[in-house]
Amino acid sequence: MLWKIAPLEKLADSFFTSRPPLLASQVLAELGPVLTGERDLSQTANGALEVVMAAIRAGSGALFRFQEKPAMLASIAAQGFVVFPQTAVFPLLSKHVHALTNVTGPQRISRERCDTFLSSTGNISSVWFRCIAPLKVHGKLIGALLLGEREAGAEYTPEVLKQIGDLAPFIALAMYNHQLMMSLEERTADNLKLIASVHSFWDDALAAFAATIDVKAVQMHGHSLRVGRYAAGIAESLGMSAAEASEMRAAGYLHNIGMVTVDKHLLSKPGALEPGEFQEMADHTVQGHRIVSTVQFPWPKIPEVVRSHHERADGSGYPDRLHNDEVSLPVKIVAVADTFDAMLSERPYRKKLALGEAAAQLSWLAPAKLDGEVVQALLVQLRRDAVSHVSPPRPWSSAGETRTRKMFLDPSVACNISPPDIDHMVSELHRRMTRGRVTLS
Ligand SMILES: [Fe+2]
């Protein structure tokens, strides 16, 4: 219960026996916490109704919210009635809305006069009420306070109507704020749903698109999809959020989008590229950046990743010869994922490496060429795969819950590496990183 009887009676007594300005402030002092407390609309409405009814000694009353389409007053709180619908409704004609919007202050209503403000087609009767106070904010109808008989048949005198009129704007404002909050919450929830659906749409669409990027050369097939997979796995290993991992997957899918501008014969050329050919190939970063810069992606790092995924930590990469501290983490992640998959893939000018050789070479490239922490994160995922490969998780190993970890490695890659071998690579990499020495193969 929000209000105890005794204080309310005392409050009501003082409302009528003390000087009016003080009375209004006393009631408002009680009303304030009721209206501004963090409660739902029904609790707030009932608390406010209770204060007003006690203050003017009304035996019954109800608070209504105005709904515009279709126009109606719908109850949100009611007290003092023997029987009252769960939601009482007064459908309103435009003449009622006009009268409620334009009338000044609370009005006495009678059997003869109630038709001015209320229809008789609702699920309650207007004859239950003796006074109506339209609730407005900035002249806009928000609702109405309807009050029944006062104690001992007392009249709604001009003084009492004025007191109700003094309190009404505060109740109106509280209801208005509640409605704003509700609509804001609804809109936020709608936006989140929309964002979620857009992300899911992008994910699916980009996966399909990634496959088409690699279609020009047979040895590139599946490369972008795998880079997306590895980039998301590294992000997860680095403790990034699911949304960030999702961004990394998308960045991996699109990192080579500029390849669509490269002559397909270059992609399949078995020997070394001529300088002009190499430049055309290298330009896929700049061309790709130009393409994605025109698209409003839900992930802001995509353009930078597309442009800079061939930059190297020591500044030996392209197109801008940026150093490790000049590129963002997403760029470093995709660079490692890209290099890793390239090592595990057949190329016209070399054979693909076995998993152990690729992991070792990748490890040796850090921290001089690739970011050391990102390579470590990849090795952590590889070790998890290797452990699962040696000893698959048993169904009862997770507190009665059967969970299967998604493997980091693409299914096309055999997991033929041992956890101790990976531990050795990690400790060597750690030693190089902590001593700050660069050891290149
Ligand atoms: Fe590339």
Side-chain angles (χ1 to χ4, degrees):
M1 193 67 182
L2 296 170
W3 300 91
K4 291 191 168 41
I5 297 299
L8 282 175
E9 284 180 343
K10 272 171 66 183
L11 188 66
D13 286 343
S14 66
F15 194 71
F16 292 103
T17 55
S18 308
R19 287 174 297 170
L22 180 63
L23 294 169
S25 63
Q26 280 179 339
V27 178
L28 280 174
E30 297 293 333
L31 198 55
V34 175
L35 296 180
T36 56
E38 288 202 10
R39 292 172 293 184
D40 64 29
L41 182 58
S42 172
Q43 285 179 310
T44 303
N46 272 298
L49 185 61
E50 197 169 358
V51 171
V52 174
M53 283 172 56
I56 63 157
R57 290 186 171 173
S60 57
L63 254 177
F64 289 77
R65 182 170 56 188
F66 173 61
Q67 180 187 302
E68 213 164 345
K69 288 178 185 172
M72 68 168 72
L73 289 174
S75 67
I76 51 174
Q79 291 182 22
F81 299 97
V82 178
V83 181
F84 200 85
Q86 189 167 8
T87 302
V89 171
F90 282 115
L92 300 176
L93 299 173
S94 54
K95 69 169 186 176
H96 300 131
V97 177
H98 184 266
L100 287 166
T101 304
N102 291 293
V103 74
T104 306
Q107 302 290 311
R108 276 189 290 263
I109 49 175
S110 59
R111 191 180 295 271
E112 298 74 37
R113 219 189 146 212
C114 62
D115 181 51
T116 308
F117 302 108
L118 302 168
S119 70
S120 56
T121 56
N123 58 355
I124 54 164
S125 172
S126 55
V127 298
W128 296 358
F129 302 103
R130 295 286 171 269
C131 171
I132 182 167
L135 302 174
K136 291 180 267 189
V137 174
H138 303 311
K140 193 171 183 293
L141 189 65
I142 298 299
L145 169 65
L146 275 84
L147 296 160
E149 293 277 2
R150 295 186 62 217
E151 274 182 15
E155 286 292 317
Y156 278 89
T157 62
E159 293 75 25
V160 173
L161 291 177
K162 181 177 181 312
Q163 302 290 3
I164 298 168
D166 287 343
L167 301 175
F170 295 94
I171 299 172
L173 197 59
M175 285 172 60
Y176 181 66
N177 285 339
H178 263 283
Q179 285 176 24
L180 274 185
M181 284 300 294
M182 281 168 62
S183 107
L184 190 64
E185 282 173 20
E186 279 168 17
R187 267 186 288 161
T188 305
D190 285 347
N191 283 341
L192 283 176
K193 281 183 211 154
L194 187 63
I195 288 167
S197 70
V198 166
H199 272 239
S200 148
F201 165 77
W202 275 113
D203 217 40
D204 295 345
L206 292 185
F209 195 71
T212 66
I213 291 172
D214 303 326
V215 84
K216 277 189 174 181
V218 68
Q219 69 278 4
M220 296 294 286
H221 288 182
H223 169 69
S224 297
L225 283 171
R226 290 191 298 273
V227 172
R229 178 191 184 105
Y230 296 146
I234 293 169
E236 183 199 313
S237 178
L238 286 167
M240 293 165 78
S241 68
E244 289 168 323
S246 192
E247 179 170 12
M248 287 299 87
R249 186 178 301 107
Y253 285 168
L254 287 177
H255 77 289
N256 262 357
I257 190 171
M259 284 294 191
V260 296
T261 66
V262 176
D263 186 336
K264 70 176 186 178
H265 299 296
L266 290 186
L267 299 172
S268 310
K269 186 174 177 181
L273 297 177
E274 299 295 327
E277 293 173 333
F278 177 81
Q279 191 56 52
E280 183 180 342
M281 184 78 94
D283 274 351
H284 79 276
T285 52
V286 179
Q287 298 294 350
H289 181 257
R290 187 178 51 76
I291 294 168
V292 295
S293 293
T294 63
V295 182
Q296 197 72 35
F297 288 107
W299 305 286
K301 290 293 182 187
I302 299 269
E304 187 195 354
V305 169
V306 169
R307 184 179 183 95
S308 302
H309 68 274
H310 284 286
E311 301 290 358
R312 291 295 171 254
D314 57 3
S316 62
Y318 59 86
D320 302 310
R321 303 184 72 81
L322 299 176
H323 289 77
N324 205 41
D325 57 355
E326 295 175 291
V327 297
S328 67
L329 181 59
V331 171
K332 298 170 188 172
I333 290 173
V334 172
V336 170
D338 183 26
T339 308
F340 180 60
D341 187 67
M343 288 173 170
L344 291 170
S345 305
E346 197 86 26
R347 288 288 181 264
Y349 47 90
R350 63 154 172 78
K351 293 278 180 200
K352 68 178 180 184
L353 302 181
L355 180 60
E357 292 172 311
Q361 286 207 15
L362 200 72
S363 173
W364 278 108
L365 287 174
K369 301 286 183 184
L370 300 170
D371 185 87
E373 287 179 12
V374 174
V375 172
Q376 268 188 343
L378 182 144
L379 292 174
V380 166
Q381 288 286 35
L382 270 191
R383 192 181 194 283
R384 288 174 186 161
D385 275 16
V387 169
S388 298
H389 187 71
V390 172
S391 152
R394 289 173 295 180
W396 58 86
S397 62
S398 180
E401 192 183 331
T402 306
R403 287 188 299 181
T404 310
R405 171 185 166 266
K406 190 186 173 199
M407 296 291 276
F408 170 72
L409 279 170
D410 186 78
S412 63
V413 181
C415 186
N416 50 7
I417 189 169
S418 72
D421 284 348
I422 298 172
D423 292 341
H424 179 68
M425 290 174 204
V426 170
S427 73
E428 280 297 303
L429 172 57
H430 183 69
R431 187 180 59 75
R432 286 198 305 280
M433 286 168 65
T434 51
R435 292 172 64 180
R437 289 186 183 169
V438 176
T439 311
L440 283 174
S441 58

